[in-house]
Amino acid sequence: MLRLCVRLVRRPVLPAVRLWRRNMQLRVVAATLLMSLAVVLALGFVVIAQVSKGLLDAKEEAAQSQAAGGFAVAQEKANTPATVDGPDAADNKVGLDASTWMNSLVKQLASGGQTAFEVVALGAGTGEQVLPGTQGVKGARASGNVDPTASVPVKLRRAVNHSAGTFKTFSEIRYTAGAGEKAPEPALVVGKRLTDINGDPYDLYYLFPLSQEEESLNLVKSTIATAGLFVVVLLSAIAWLVVRQIVTPVRMAAGIAERLSAGRLQERMKVTGEDDIARLGEAFNKMAQNLQNKIQQLEDLSRMQRRFVSDVSHELRTPLTTVRMAADVIHDARVDFDPVTARSAELLAGQLDRFESLLSDLLEISRFDAGAAALEAEPIDLRDVVRRVIDGAEPLAEHKGTRIRVLGDTQPVIAEADARRVERVLRNLVVNAVEHGEGRDVVVRLASAGGAVAVAVRDYGVGLKPGEATRVFNRFWRADPARARTTGGTGLGLSIAVEDARLHGGWLQAWGEPGGGSQFRLTLPRTADEPLRGSPIPLEPEDSRANRARAAADAAGGAVERQQPADAGDRSTIPPRPAASGQSVPADPTALPGSGARVVARPAEQAPQEERTDADADADGR
């Protein structure tokens, strides 16, 4: 379930991740967008904080000034001497009790505000929270349908009741049901303890709504948000345009470089202007021109070399035929010669045979170099090819005291291949194994699995030194230059063999260890032109020193006991590696030496079980 969830999440994310990794312009524009957005947000917070602080400071200053004037007027009215009559009799204390006077005072003070503030008068008390359903603080009065007990915070009432002076705080103005559905609004509340006409203390509060300041702050926020969004979009567009001017030539250079690597050496960049990009384009074009010239020179030289080899090989055919005819006559008449002359005739015949083989190999190599080698593939059973090869190598094996054994030939091993070329490859491998096997057994193993077939030739002779696994396929390379060739080889056999394997789209690989023998593995696709994904036979044999050491360590550590491969001295029971039919073959990371490697990667969801490569094993190779 976890894998399924991960796969479902990765499926829509992978295209976006791939686009992000491959598009430099997208990354630069996204980074610019994010950084500009961060700068605009930081600047917006700072500006909003400063504007909010300025508005509140100005409001507090104006409110304190307004409230101080109102407190002075209220206290002055409470201290005004009594009068009997006159036009201001409603404002005097004669004939009025404290309750009526306070109602008149609140109404008079609130009338000067013109909705700029509201006035609340509360009787002196402890300022504790009033229980629900009670009348509240005795003598509470307010203007503009303001709920006096809910609008004045308890904390502020406590401060006014217990201390002298003016106190302020931020709160909300809440309205009674008589004001309709008017919503609460933020306000600045300023309060002070005063005395009424009877000298009794009461609390007078001024409530200054902050709705205008809030509207101003919202206007500033919307302005900054709009301007910030415009700035972010503008910076992103600028970044896109600027980066496009740089990325476009780079993309053009990358595309031309890819076409150059594909062999289209005439491709060049279009250069306009004299800036750094133009200089880069000119330098790139000069590099491409020099590269084309050098490659053309190398191609001409290679063509001349191939033509020289081909011409020499063909031209030597005629004199060689004449020399061969004369040598045959001399060789047939050697019984009439003295011993020295007879031996010379035999040596001449042998070297002529080797010379003819060398010419044939040179002609074959020239065909491969010229790309003229043709593959005549047809379904064949590799068991028949192996039998013909072993029959041909049997005289040499008897002379060496070597026994050639075949494993895995109980089932047909069918593949579409050129029988002549495959037989030539296997003959070279088997003869080399017999030559270097030191008289020990040579094991030929066949196997097939998935879309591949393989033939491995294992010997237990001198083996290969570290680093020789790749050099063994070089032309005219010999592991021991002082070692004589029993069969008079030309030094081109493995080079031709690896070219034959490549022509089939297959692999020819080598493994070896000093004193532990070597193994050469030929892997071919079961169907022509089918890419290989792996080999049914491991390159390192099961009876190698490393595998035997690991098996011994597993047995010593309490691992499950496994059947050990036979020792080099007794190889009669070497088991064939079973081919798991129906199972997918893991991708083989070991490519052919040199160019022309054909290794096909497996899909991402099928993680391959990589085999041990030649590069990882320094002791591998021939």
Side-chain angles (χ1 to χ4, degrees):
M1 290 297 296
L2 181 60
R3 285 185 178 180
L4 181 60
C5 294
V6 171
R7 188 175 300 175
L8 292 177
V9 172
R10 287 180 57 188
R11 185 170 300 172
V13 172
L14 282 178
V17 173
R18 190 178 299 110
L19 178 63
W20 174 265
R21 294 177 60 183
R22 298 183 60 181
N23 196 323
M24 183 174 65
Q25 187 174 2
L26 175 62
R27 294 200 301 270
V28 173
V29 173
T32 304
L33 177 64
L34 292 177
M35 289 188 292
S36 59
L37 183 61
V39 171
V40 169
L41 288 177
L43 182 62
F45 283 128
V46 172
V47 171
I48 291 174
Q50 293 296 327
V51 172
S52 177
K53 184 176 182 302
L55 291 175
L56 292 179
D57 291 343
K59 186 67 174 180
E60 287 183 14
E61 184 177 355
Q64 288 181 351
S65 176
Q66 183 72 34
F71 294 150
V73 170
Q75 191 61 46
E76 182 180 358
K77 287 185 177 292
N79 297 332
T80 300
T83 58
V84 178
D85 55 6
D88 297 329
D91 296 333
N92 295 331
K93 299 185 287 184
V94 176
L96 298 175
D97 57 7
S99 177
T100 304
W101 176 84
M102 189 171 292
N103 290 334
S104 176
L105 176 64
V106 170
K107 183 177 180 181
Q108 183 180 2
L109 293 177
S111 62
Q114 297 180 355
T115 69
F117 58 85
E118 302 292 345
V119 179
V120 173
L122 300 176
T126 60
E128 299 296 337
Q129 183 67 38
V130 182
L131 295 176
T134 61
Q135 182 184 357
V137 179
K138 185 177 180 180
R141 296 165 180 83
S143 63
N145 295 321
V146 174
D147 188 346
T149 57
S151 300
V152 179
V154 176
K155 186 177 181 180
L156 179 61
R157 297 206 299 267
R158 290 176 180 172
V160 171
N161 286 329
H162 295 100
S163 302
T166 303
F167 299 89
K168 65 180 185 300
T169 188
F170 291 99
S171 180
E172 284 187 344
I173 299 178
R174 298 183 180 275
Y175 298 92
T176 59
E181 298 295 333
K182 194 172 183 180
E185 55 183 343
L188 175 64
V189 182
V190 181
K192 186 177 181 180
R193 169 63 63 87
L194 300 175
T195 56
D196 58 9
I197 56 177
N198 296 325
D200 297 328
Y202 73 97
D203 300 335
L204 185 63
Y205 299 94
Y206 273 78
L207 283 69
F208 297 91
L210 299 177
S211 55
Q212 293 183 356
E213 286 74 14
E214 187 175 17
E215 292 177 359
S216 300
L217 188 59
N218 290 334
L219 178 61
V220 172
K221 289 180 180 180
S222 60
T223 304
I224 292 177
T226 304
L229 181 60
F230 178 75
V231 169
V232 169
V233 174
L234 182 62
L235 289 177
S236 300
I238 293 174
W240 184 81
L241 291 175
V242 173
V243 175
R244 185 174 182 271
Q245 295 179 358
I246 300 176
V247 171
T248 300
V250 174
R251 288 177 178 172
M252 185 185 303
I256 294 176
E258 291 176 355
R259 291 192 288 272
L260 286 174
S261 63
R264 299 168 60 181
L265 302 179
Q266 71 279 1
E267 293 289 337
R268 298 292 184 272
M269 287 185 63
K270 294 182 180 179
V271 179
T272 57
E274 299 179 357
D275 53 7
D276 295 335
I277 299 298
R279 292 170 55 194
L280 174 63
E282 293 177 355
F284 185 89
N285 290 339
K286 290 180 181 179
M287 179 189 68
Q289 184 64 39
N290 295 333
L291 181 63
Q292 183 180 9
N293 294 336
K294 291 295 183 182
I295 292 178
Q296 188 65 38
Q297 293 176 6
L298 292 176
E299 287 181 350
D300 294 341
L301 179 60
S302 177
R303 191 180 302 110
M304 291 175 59
Q305 290 177 344
R306 292 196 301 267
R307 180 176 298 176
F308 174 77
V309 172
S310 178
D311 293 345
V312 168
S313 301
H314 281 89
E315 292 299 329
L316 286 178
R317 284 285 185 179
T318 301
L320 180 61
T321 303
T322 304
V323 173
R324 161 61 68 185
M325 293 173 61
D328 289 342
V329 173
I330 296 174
H331 186 268
D332 293 339
R334 69 184 183 281
V335 294
D336 299 331
F337 301 154
D338 58 89
V340 176
T341 306
R343 179 56 181 164
S344 299
E346 293 176 356
L347 292 176
L348 178 62
Q351 292 302 316
L352 283 174
D353 292 338
R354 185 175 179 184
F355 193 18
E356 286 184 341
S357 299
L358 178 60
L359 281 179
S360 300
D361 291 345
L362 286 175
L363 284 173
E364 190 68 24
I365 286 291
S366 66
R367 293 191 189 96
F368 283 118
D369 292 340
L375 186 68
E376 300 177 359
E378 60 180 359
I380 60 173
D381 191 345
L382 293 184
R383 297 181 300 173
D384 299 335
V385 179
V386 169
R387 292 190 189 101
R388 290 198 298 268
V389 170
I390 293 177
D391 292 341
E394 197 63 39
L396 178 62
E398 291 179 357
H399 176 71
K400 287 285 190 176
T402 300
R403 182 179 57 168
I404 303 177
R405 300 176 52 252
V406 181
L407 300 177
D409 59 343
T410 57
Q411 297 293 332
V413 182
I414 308 298
E416 291 184 5
D418 191 329
R420 180 181 63 87
R421 296 183 183 277
V422 173
E423 183 175 349
R424 180 167 59 188
V425 173
L426 296 180
R427 182 185 301 110
N428 191 286
L429 298 182
V430 172
V431 170
N432 282 346
V434 172
E435 263 199 335
H436 299 87
E438 301 290 335
R440 298 186 178 91
D441 288 358
V442 172
V443 180
V444 180
R445 178 179 288 113
L446 296 91
S448 64
V453 297
V455 180
V457 180
R458 174 79 161 103
D459 68 78
Y460 298 88
V462 294
L464 295 174
K465 297 178 182 178
E468 293 182 348
T470 55
R471 294 199 302 271
V472 72
F473 297 102
N474 295 340
R475 299 175 183 180
F476 301 107
W477 183 86
R478 294 172 66 179
D480 185 5
R483 185 182 180 90
R485 294 183 185 271
T486 306
T487 59
T490 63
L492 295 174
L494 288 179
S495 301
I496 296 175
V498 76
E499 295 294 344
D500 283 331
R502 290 173 182 171
L503 191 62
H504 284 84
W507 305 332
L508 180 59
Q509 299 155 292
W511 169 91
E513 55 187 9
S518 61
Q519 176 166 292
F520 285 76
R521 182 184 67 181
L522 173 65
T523 307
L524 301 176
R526 188 187 297 271
T527 305
D529 298 330
E530 179 183 359
L532 286 177
R533 298 183 180 275
S535 179
I537 299 177
L539 183 59
E540 182 179 356
E542 296 178 352
D543 56 351
S544 65
R545 293 196 190 107
N547 285 336
R548 291 202 302 266
R550 282 192 290 267
D554 292 343
V560 179
E561 185 175 359
R562 298 180 300 178
Q563 181 180 359
Q564 299 297 323
D567 189 74
D570 181 12
R571 289 165 301 279
S572 60
T573 59
I574 297 179
R577 182 176 178 84
S581 60
Q583 297 180 354
S584 60
V585 182
D588 196 323
T590 311
L592 290 171
S595 61
R598 295 185 56 161
V599 179
V600 180
R602 297 193 55 164
E605 60 269 11
Q606 297 179 0
Q609 181 76 25
E610 293 189 354
E611 295 184 9
R612 181 173 177 267
T613 64
D614 294 328
D616 295 334
D618 293 336
D620 290 0
R622 163 169 280 189

